[in-house]
Structure formats: C-alpha cells, structure tokens
Amino acid sequence: MQKLVVIGAGMATGRLLEHLFEADPAAYEVTVFNAEPRGNYNRIMLSPVLSGEKSYAEIVTHDDAWYTANKVTCRFGERVVAIDRDRKVVTGERGEVPYDKLVFGTGSDPFIVPCPGHDLDGVVAYRDLDHTNRMVESAAMPGARAVVIGGGLLGLEAAAGLRLRGMEVTVLHLSGHLMDRQLDPAASYLLQKDLERRGIAVMTQASTKAIHGDGHVAHVELEDGTELPADLVVMAVGIRPSARLAREAGLEVGRAILVDAQMRTSDPDVFAVGECVEYAGHLFGLVAPLYDQAKVLAKTLLDEEDAFAVREVSTKLKVTGCDLFSAGDFAEGEGREDIVFRDPSRGVYKRLVIEADRLVGAVMYGDTADGNWFFGLIKDGTDISEMRESLIFGPAYQGGAAQDPLAAVAALPADAEICGCNGVCKGRIVEAVEGGATTLDAVRAETKASGSCGTCAGLVEQIMSVTLGDDFVLPAAKPVCPCTDLTHEDVRRLIKARELKSQPAVWQELGWNTPNGCHVCRPAVNYYLLADWPLDYRDDPQSRFVNERNHANIQKDGTYSVMPRMWGGITTPDELRAIADAADKYGVPTVKVTGGQRIDLLGVPKEQLPAIWGDLNAAGLVSGHAYTKGLRTVKTCVGTDWCRFGTQDSTGLGVKLEKMLWGSWTPHKVKLAVSGCPRNCAEATCKDIGIICVDSGYEIGVGGAAGMDLKPTEPLVKVVTEAEVFEWVVAFMQLYREHAKYLDRPYKWLAKVSLDWVRETLADPAERAALNERFAISQSVYQYDPWKEHTAAEQERRYQPLADLTLEAAE
Amino acid sequence: MNWIDIGALDDVPLRGARLVKTHAGCVAIFRTGEAEVYATSNTCLHRGGPLSEGIVHDRKVTCPLHNYVYSLETGEVVGPDAGRIATYPIRVEDGRLLLDGDAVGKRSAA
C-alpha cells in the first residue's frame, strides 16, 4: 500500500478522500495533518453556527468514526513545519511521516488589514471554528459592539450572525456598494436596505485608518476621522492562498501553488487542491470548483484520466431573508444590453445582461427562484433571441401560458445545474432517483446535491417529484427536537387520536428517546395537551418557559417586567395612580408606554413580584399576559365615541373582544386591533386578527405580521353585527389553537394550511358554533388572573429563595 | 462535611428548581426525580442567566436566557459550547434537603 500524506483537513481534501476511499479503499494508507485541532467540517455553514441557527455538531462532515473506519491517521492540532522532497518526508511538530504521494490542502489565510492596532486583542478574522467561537464569546457581553471590516459575502454573513446574537454591528466597506464583486449597485442598494432594516449599520467608502485600544480593541478610526466604538473587530476583507510551506519546499508558486489540470505541482509526486491552488491564472474561493478539483485529483491519484476545467460559478448569500443570486459577468460594456425588472414595494430586482443574443450575466434580488435557469442559459450560451420578450419572467413564461413550478423544473434540460456547490446537474439527480434513491437524504448521499449550503434542497425535491410522479411523498417536516422523530403535526395528531392526556403518556406511547423531553419539546407538548384536553390535563409550570412560569418577562439582568392589562387601551386616573404608586413604592427603574397601548414596569426583582401584583390587583388591575404565548392586547382607536370619522364603536368592540379572549393559551402570541374606520389608526392590518369598522359593518382580516416578517392581514370575512364578529374571531382563534404548530404565529400557520381552507371550515355555521363551544370550555379553566393566584401565601413562597444561608452568622 | 438543612424536598417541584443564597453566591437546587436532587451554581457562564429558572430535563437544565444546557451531575456545558459551573454536595434525608455547608461556605473565603 502506498503512503499518502494530506496537509490540511478542509472541504477540498475531505471530498478528495471520500472519492478516493469510494473508488479504491485499499490504494493508500492515509495520514492527515490539520493545524486546527479537529477534523473536517462544512466551513460554508459557519455563518449559521455564528448566528446560532446551527450547532458545530450539525456541520461536521467527517467525524472520528469516519476517520477510524477509513483507517486514516489523524494528526489534528499539529502543524507541518517542513517538507523534505528528496527523502519524501513530511515533518510535523510531533515528528516525521514518510510519503509516496503528498497533497497540499493548506487552504488560505485571512487577509488582515495591516493598519495600526490590527494585532490588538478582540480583532479576529472569520475563517474557522475558533474564530467563530471567539465572535460568539464577544457577542455574549451585554451591549457589545462589533465593527466588521469588509462588505463582501463573508463580512455580511458575519455581520448578520453577530446581529442575531444581539450585538450592535457596523459594516465598513471600502468600495461604494456592498458585495461589489457579485452585485450591481441597484441590487446592492436593496441588500443594504434589508441589512439596515435588521439593525446593521452600513458605511460604504469607509477606509480604516487605525484600531485603538489598551491591549483590547476599544474603537476603530476611519480615514475621515470618524471613530466607532467597538468591542470586537472582524476582518473579512479577503483571503490569501496559503502557499508558504509549498514555497519553502521549493515547489513552483505564483500567487498560489501552481498546478496542471491533473492538480499536479512542479513535483510529480506532490499535488494540491483547494484555495491554495493557482490553475491557468485562476484562484479559487467558492466551493464548487474545489469539489471539481477533488474529483480530478482522486482520479489522478488512482492513475485514471481526468482534467480540471474552470467553469462559471454562481453566488448566493446565506443570510436568512436576504435572497440574492448573481452569476456571470454583468459589467456594462459596448454591445451589451440590459433587461431590468423592478418591483420596489416587494423589494424585487432582476437584471439580465445580454451580449450578441446570449445571456452573459444575471443579478437577482428578492426573488431568486429562476436563478438556476438563468445560470444554465449563461453556461450553455443559449441563443435567447426567440424568448427575449419574456425572458426576464423566467422559464414558467416560455412557450405559452404560465406553468406551475413543477412544470418549470420538468422543462429543465438534463444538464441544467441544480446544486452549484457540488456541481450536480438535473440528469445526475434523475439518474439517482431512477436508481432507487427516493428520499432527499438518499439523493444527497448518492449525488451530494444539496449537501453543502442546502439552498437547492427544494429544487432537488421538485425534481424527485417530477421523476417519481405520484410515488413521491414530500419528506416529512422536521422532528420536534432530537427527543423524537415525530413532527409537531404528528404529535398533535397522535395526542388526539390516541387520547394521550399526560406528558408521561406522550413520552411513553410515542417513544421519546429521553426520560422527560427537553426545553424544546416540553413547552410544545404541554401546550398541545392543555389545548386538546382542557378539562383533563393540568398545565405543568415546569414545562413552561420562565416568563410563563413566573407570569412576568425576564430581562437580561434577571429582573422582570410587570405589565397590567388595559382593556382596549383604555385606562383611568385611578389605575394610573395605582401604577405610579407601585412604581414609586418598588423603585421601578423604567416605566415604558408600549406599542400595545399599555404601561410596562421594568426592572422588578423576582422576590417583589407577588407584592407589586397584590398592589395592582387592589386597584382592579390584572395581569396583561405580556409574557405569554396567548392573547396579548387588543389595540383600538376611539371610534364613534369621539372621532368624527368613526363608523362604529371600535373601542367598545376591542374591550369586549379582549374580555372574551384574555387568559387563553395559543401556539404563539396573538395580538388584535380594532380600527373605527378604514383610516386604520389602530393599525389593525398588521395584527394576527385585525378588524376594520366600516359603515356597513366589520371587515375581519387575519394573518398579519409586523415583527421579523412584515405582512398585511388578508380578508377572512365581512360581517354586519358585533355578535358575528365575536363568533368569527373566537372560531378563528380556536381553529388556530387546535391546529397550529407550537410557535407558529397565525400567518405562518395560514401559509401551511391556506386561508382558503380556514375560510371553508369557518363558513359552516355548525363548525363555528362547535369551535366557539370548545373555546368556552377552555376559557372556563384558563381565564383567570394568575397574579391574584400567585399573591396567595403558598404560591408567594415560590418567589422567595428556599433558604438564605448568608443570614446565618459566619464561622 | 457540614450538612445544613435548607428545606423540605417537596418545596422543590419535580423537574423544577429553587434558589438558595449562600456565601459562595446563589446556588440552584434542582429536583430531577422523586428523591433525586442536585445543587449547582445558579449562574450561567454565558450571560449570567439564572439557571434555577430554566427547564429541567433528564439530569440537565437549560438556561432560560439563551438555552445553554448544563449537566447537573458534572456542571459541564452539554453540546458544542464548553465550560463548567460549580456543583455542590447535596442529599435527601427523611424528606429534608441537606446541603454541604463547607462547600458553599469555603468558596467565599477563597
């Protein structure tokens, strides 16, 4: 067996070893050196790890078991110090290893702007897990501020991740617009707006002069004199191929290690793949060509013919909610024409660049569904003169009427690229499916399609659907959590069908693999049980998130906020006096008027909660449930009481609705509003349920959102009387309570079951009556003031320490 | 060992926790089973979240602020993050909770 030594456990060498072991597991005895103290993981997915959407464990591509199974000697956490090509020996920090064949996969080093202060503590690059962990650590400091230098792909992913972790983030970009290598200024403008909407500050044409601080970074100084306070500075300005070791070993090196199309360096027994490679004047940073190289090198090492070729690559940004796509060349130039589509209110922009009847570039923002189709046209150099008129509308509009998305997928040619990261075309996926791969996981295992950044998973499923026809069942949604393989929908269905009425019954009967769940499934199961069996099941405070257990919202310093209900946003001088007295008596640091038309008292320690609630109760105020997945507020305008435009008693209606719905638990929080006329002063059209009063009655809208997503309500029904409003609103609430997945707001639930289905269900008067009746049963149990209950002595004790040993005399 | 009676077992709800103030700082008392209890530092290593307010599952607790998970047996962070919080000897006798006073007192002197 020949000895193969690989320097660097990255995505390219990982893929190389996979191909090698797959083709001939007995060909080589492999040793892998890696400077990082771990094996290969999916570096593309560091951004979701940074933002907290994924854990490190989820992005590991080759675990210890894999290396063991393939008999790889792992020298992780060990740097290679020298290579002696005459003796064919690699020298690591802990000793020598001889080789027959040697592979460089040394990757690249982040480029650090050599400004004064770049070596201060708190200045990090964004390249590997250690960097990511340091950024997560910095983000943990309350009120921490980050400056990200570099507004390219990596910098923006870093910025978005840090922002999601709660940091104040500013992005500095040297050029005039973000991602200037992938986007034109118009698309970049939309991107910048989206980022700013998330609270990320963007400064373009910003040149860093120096980083200041005493040991640790304190602020960043720009050339124009601006000073930005910072606890963390992330350098994401680019990468440099890591070729020092190769140069010292006497290999030919240009900007990176020079290789031929077989990935061979100037030494016939030494090869290189990945970001450390220069081939025909090209350097490589995206994963797709790296994987191509890995495939070629595997063949070369097994003495098979293959040659690497540079191909077009497309780009996507992995920032949840920012949809952008760019491919090809979109610079303006002689003989080039643009086709542009803009829909500013939807934030959609598409630009196609055409030269000599061929598509040469495409930039899309906001709606990137057709990206792969355009990318195919660019790669193939298809003559587009025939379809030019409707080209920008995508494949669905070619050749007649609009088609459904499946038809568009069916129309793609076999060589249309589906997975850009892994270079998998439609034909390869169809082949795998016809060969028996009938699940997404199976297709992924066989073709690698959707295995890296994952954005093409939906497309792969559509191809499977087209190929398998009726045999294809869309894969089940994600399990609730690692405690079970069942989805939320399964659990809800089984709780009803098998009449499971306790949490232990759910864990046992449905085969939970943990003794009593976890923080993810426990609150969900607790909700499903109390929603389905209000009379049989008792709410379990130990399965509640802290806010719902303590009936107050925990704040970042461990104190709580207290918010009494103000029915329909109406209050009285007596109530206000009671609130003011309580704020004085308990030294409440912050009194805030909220967007839900009530008053929040922030900064109350847990021990004082029962006492302050008792005082507020005495003035007739009850819990506002501002902490629950339940009814929050009903916002109103003054309606016919005062307003000269009011058409109905919107205030009265809001108060009645709130008195009817308060106390109910729901899958997620529910907010209502009632506006007295279409001028909509109560902002009813972005609420979960919003009512607009008109002369002839009431328009009930549902499924609005004004949080992470912004979405107007859609009309549910128009009714004439207040009684009908109550009947419909309660029926809608109960339908949502009985069917939605825990933590889905109504708009998310509606997107799954469709508004049409809800309308159809509620159109039946008998169904509405039954839903109203079930809601009333639930309210008979759950409509009570928890504050009142918890000021009682036996409950009040819960809010005090079990014991205070500091009061006893010290020894 | 210097066992101090800190209260009744039933004062701590099953799969719940209570707080004890000590010279070594706040200690969280967790009840993971009918008569199974653990005592650890109340303070999450991440942002100081009060662990006694977390959801208790198996022999673990999840911090209520940002979902760090700790093993109550070792005090180690479970999962990709790393770190360890202090744990303290505690036992149940005749329905009473006994905490080791030396363990929670000594640390204050250090």
Side-chain angles (χ1 to χ4, degrees):
Chain A
M1 216 191 253
Q2 289 205 81
K3 287 183 176 29
L4 173 68
V5 173
V6 177
I7 307 174
M11 301 194 64
T13 57
R15 182 54 63 89
L16 162 70
L17 293 178
E18 274 177 26
H19 285 308
L20 204 56
F21 294 142
E22 211 170 280
D24 186 356
Y28 287 98
E29 188 185 321
V30 180
T31 302
V32 179
F33 282 91
N34 199 25
E36 270 190 81
R38 56 184 72 84
N40 187 22
Y41 54 92
N42 188 345
R43 229 167 265 266
I44 305 178
M45 295 308 252
L46 280 174
S47 294
V49 171
L50 176 62
S51 64
E53 290 162 277
K54 276 193 189 293
S55 67
Y56 169 63
E58 288 176 84
I59 67 162
V60 170
T61 51
H62 301 89
D63 55 14
D64 293 346
W66 186 87
Y67 288 110
T68 311
N70 290 295
K71 302 186 186 65
V72 175
T73 308
C74 298
R75 309 223 355 196
F76 296 160
E78 179 175 1
R79 284 174 186 282
V80 171
V81 290
I83 292 154
D84 185 336
R85 290 197 289 127
D86 297 331
R87 285 169 53 222
K88 293 187 115 177
V89 164
V90 172
T91 309
E93 287 164 330
R94 295 195 282 274
E96 293 189 343
V97 181
Y99 69 82
D100 297 305
K101 297 276 194 285
L102 176 63
V103 172
F104 276 84
T106 44
S108 59
D109 300 316
F111 179 66
I112 300 292
V113 181
C115 63
H118 69 269
D119 49 359
L120 283 171
D121 197 20
V123 180
V124 298
Y126 182 30
R127 201 67 205 127
D128 60 29
L129 184 69
D130 294 326
H131 297 143
T132 310
N133 285 340
R134 281 176 63 191
M135 287 158 71
V136 171
E137 230 166 76
S138 300
M141 271 191 325
R145 282 173 289 207
V147 170
V148 176
I149 302 179
L153 207 55
L154 209 56
L156 296 183
E157 291 188 5
L162 292 170
R163 181 68 196 137
L164 276 178
R165 292 262 177 193
M167 280 188 116
E168 301 279 324
V169 182
T170 304
V171 175
L172 304 180
H173 193 52
L174 198 53
S175 108
H177 70 267
L178 294 173
M179 290 186 68
D180 50 306
R181 282 167 58 186
Q182 292 91 4
L183 296 183
D184 63 5
S188 180
Y189 171 83
L190 290 174
L191 172 65
Q192 185 171 339
K193 285 285 153 213
D194 261 355
L195 293 171
E196 286 169 352
R197 211 169 292 135
R198 283 149 200 263
I200 296 169
V202 176
M203 298 175 72
T204 52
Q205 289 176 318
S207 173
T208 308
K209 186 175 180 191
I211 303 169
H212 300 282
D214 185 11
H216 191 279
V217 49
H219 68 266
V220 175
E221 183 190 351
L222 303 186
E223 288 291 353
D224 68 2
T226 310
E227 290 195 353
L228 301 164
D231 304 289
L232 172 75
V233 173
V234 180
M235 294 262 193
V237 287
I239 52 171
R240 291 280 163 89
S242 175
R244 188 185 50 83
L245 193 63
R247 190 177 288 121
E248 285 170 5
L251 296 170
E252 279 181 30
V253 173
R255 287 187 294 160
I257 307 171
L258 295 171
V259 295
D260 62 15
Q262 281 67 47
M263 312 316 295
R264 188 176 273 114
T265 67
S266 54
D267 179 330
D269 288 325
V270 180
F271 305 84
V273 279
E275 291 177 336
C276 62
V277 158
E278 178 177 344
Y279 169 73
H282 291 271
L283 296 179
F284 306 91
L286 296 171
V287 75
L290 268 54
Y291 284 167
D292 288 348
Q293 293 173 2
K295 206 171 181 175
V296 171
L297 179 52
K299 292 252 175 94
T300 307
L301 287 172
L302 296 169
D303 291 328
E304 290 173 38
E305 285 284 314
D306 204 351
F308 173 69
V310 179
R311 60 187 175 108
E312 289 277 356
V313 289
S314 59
T315 306
K316 281 179 183 168
L317 179 71
K318 286 179 303 306
V319 172
T320 314
C322 290
D323 255 346
L324 69 82
F325 178 93
S326 92
D329 180 358
F330 42 85
E332 289 174 21
E334 189 111 345
R336 286 192 172 177
E337 295 166 311
D338 287 348
I339 299 178
V340 177
F341 174 91
R342 275 180 218 266
D343 186 347
S345 65
R346 280 200 303 142
V348 174
Y349 168 82
K350 301 180 188 185
R351 175 163 159 245
L352 303 178
V353 182
I354 292 166
E355 193 171 14
D357 287 335
R358 304 274 189 283
L359 187 62
V360 295
V363 187
M364 307 167 77
Y365 194 86
D367 172 8
T368 56
D370 297 331
N372 281 313
W373 185 71
F374 289 125
F375 185 44
L377 296 181
I378 295 172
K379 264 195 329 184
D380 301 344
T382 311
D383 184 333
I384 51 92
S385 53
E386 290 290 305
M387 51 180 158
R388 183 170 171 139
E389 228 164 84
S390 57
L391 184 66
I392 197 136
F393 301 110
Y397 287 85
Q398 306 314 316
Q403 296 169 337
D404 68 338
L406 281 184
V409 169
L412 286 175
D415 63 352
E417 183 170 78
I418 302 301
C419 175
C421 295
N422 289 293
V424 185
C425 61
K426 180 184 162 189
R428 178 75 193 90
I429 294 169
V430 171
E431 201 180 293
V433 172
E434 286 169 352
T438 53
T439 65
L440 181 61
D441 282 341
V443 171
R444 184 179 293 148
E446 195 167 328
T447 66
K448 308 246 188 293
S450 81
S452 294
C453 85
T455 48
C456 64
L459 208 51
V460 175
E461 283 172 357
Q462 287 176 353
I463 293 173
M464 295 174 66
S465 178
V466 167
T467 313
L468 290 169
D470 290 342
D471 292 343
F472 181 69
V473 187
L474 260 181
K478 273 195 190 145
V480 176
C481 66
C483 298
T484 175
D485 293 332
L486 299 169
T487 64
H488 281 273
E489 289 72 17
D490 292 336
V491 172
R492 282 218 87 160
R493 187 173 43 77
L494 290 165
I495 283 174
K496 288 192 193 95
R498 296 205 201 162
E499 301 203 3
L500 306 176
K501 297 185 181 180
S502 72
Q503 292 208 48
V506 171
W507 303 327
Q508 295 305 322
E509 298 270 329
L510 304 185
W512 245 240
N513 58 35
T514 48
N516 43 42
C518 69
H519 64 275
V520 178
C521 63
R522 280 254 295 282
V525 169
N526 183 57
Y527 168 74
Y528 295 152
L529 289 167
L530 75 83
D532 287 339
W533 313 110
L535 300 177
D536 303 281
Y537 177 76
R538 274 188 57 190
D539 181 37
D540 172 27
Q542 307 316 325
S543 297
R544 290 267 180 206
F545 177 62
V546 54
N547 291 352
E548 296 183 336
R549 193 178 333 115
N550 290 341
H551 298 282
N553 273 324
I554 197 164
Q555 305 298 316
K556 66 181 200 176
D557 62 352
T559 65
Y560 292 81
S561 78
V562 171
M563 200 190 300
R565 209 166 267 293
M566 284 182 174
W567 308 96
I570 294 290
T571 185
T572 65
D574 280 343
E575 285 184 352
L576 291 173
R577 258 188 292 273
I579 290 169
D581 286 346
D584 272 343
K585 180 171 168 187
Y586 298 96
V588 170
T590 301
V591 181
K592 170 95 175 67
V593 174
T594 73
Q597 300 187 336
R598 36 200 201 169
I599 293 175
D600 194 4
L601 305 173
L602 291 130
V604 181
K606 184 184 178 190
E607 295 84 1
Q608 288 186 350
L609 287 173
I612 194 169
W613 295 339
D615 286 8
L616 293 169
N617 271 172
L621 290 156
V622 299
S623 166
H625 292 90
Y627 46 83
T628 58
K629 315 283 179 246
L631 178 85
R632 294 284 180 89
T633 64
V634 181
K635 201 170 165 177
T636 69
C637 66
V638 292
T640 45
D641 276 353
W642 296 97
C643 179
R644 63 205 163 94
F645 299 116
T647 62
Q648 307 281 357
D649 177 16
S650 52
T651 322
L653 177 58
V655 171
K656 283 178 210 158
L657 278 168
E658 190 163 353
K659 294 217 160 168
M660 197 169 277
L661 301 174
W662 75 286
S664 60
W665 298 102
T666 42
H668 206 313
K669 58 189 172 187
V670 172
K671 296 179 178 179
L672 271 71
V674 184
S675 281
C677 77
R679 286 172 190 77
N680 193 19
C681 294
E683 294 162 354
T685 49
C686 63
K687 295 290 184 271
D688 298 292
I689 303 174
I691 292 140
I692 306 273
C693 302
V694 290
D695 272 329
S696 54
Y698 306 87
E699 293 171 359
I700 304 176
V702 292
M708 297 273 275
D709 295 304
L710 190 58
K711 193 184 155 297
T713 51
E714 291 178 72
L716 175 69
V717 68
K718 192 178 162 190
V719 296
V720 178
T721 64
E722 270 196 359
E724 288 172 292
V725 173
F726 301 140
E727 187 193 340
W728 277 84
V729 167
V730 168
F732 178 82
M733 271 287 264
Q734 183 63 13
L735 196 65
Y736 167 60
R737 296 182 73 237
E738 290 177 4
H739 289 272
K741 165 177 169 274
Y742 188 64
L743 299 185
D744 267 357
R745 288 286 285 267
Y747 76 97
K748 290 208 169 158
W749 169 61
L750 286 169
K752 291 176 187 166
V753 299
S754 88
L755 183 59
D756 285 343
W757 176 79
V758 171
R759 279 199 199 112
E760 266 166 46
T761 309
L762 298 184
D764 176 3
E767 188 66 47
R768 285 203 303 279
L771 286 162
N772 270 269
E773 194 179 326
R774 292 202 290 276
F775 187 74
I777 291 172
S778 176
Q779 288 296 75
S780 73
V781 180
Y782 286 107
Q783 191 173 61
Y784 64 89
D785 177 21
W787 287 1
K788 190 168 179 194
E789 188 173 80
H790 286 236
T791 46
E794 75 275 15
Q795 283 287 343
E796 194 272 342
R797 277 173 47 215
R798 242 177 25 77
Y799 290 80
Q800 312 307 328
L802 178 62
D804 188 347
L805 304 182
T806 61
L807 297 177
E808 289 164 21
E811 285 171 58
Chain B
M1 296 274 183
N2 165 25
W3 296 108
I4 300 176
D5 187 330
I6 53 167
L9 173 65
D10 287 339
D11 286 338
V12 185
L14 182 58
R15 293 190 284 279
R18 291 291 297 276
L19 186 72
V20 174
K21 290 188 172 174
T22 77
H23 288 293
C26 287
V27 171
I29 311 296
F30 298 94
R31 183 170 172 193
T32 53
E34 277 309 325
E36 187 180 79
V37 291
Y38 291 97
T40 74
S41 157
N42 186 48
T43 310
C44 179
L45 299 171
H46 174 222
R47 285 201 197 176
L51 297 177
S52 57
E53 299 293 356
I55 289 180
V56 180
H57 48 100
D58 197 356
R59 288 175 183 140
K60 298 194 272 271
V61 66
T62 301
C63 177
L65 290 196
H66 306 94
N67 293 339
Y68 267 53
V69 180
Y70 292 88
S71 158
L72 298 175
E73 295 169 287
T74 63
E76 301 260 2
V77 177
V78 178
D81 308 301
R84 200 180 148 281
I85 49 168
T87 57
Y88 305 97
I90 185 170
R91 63 195 180 96
V92 181
E93 202 173 284
D94 298 333
R96 302 297 299 178
L97 294 167
L98 304 178
L99 183 65
D100 180 13
D102 289 342
V104 295
K106 255 188 240 158
R107 279 156 218 259
S108 68

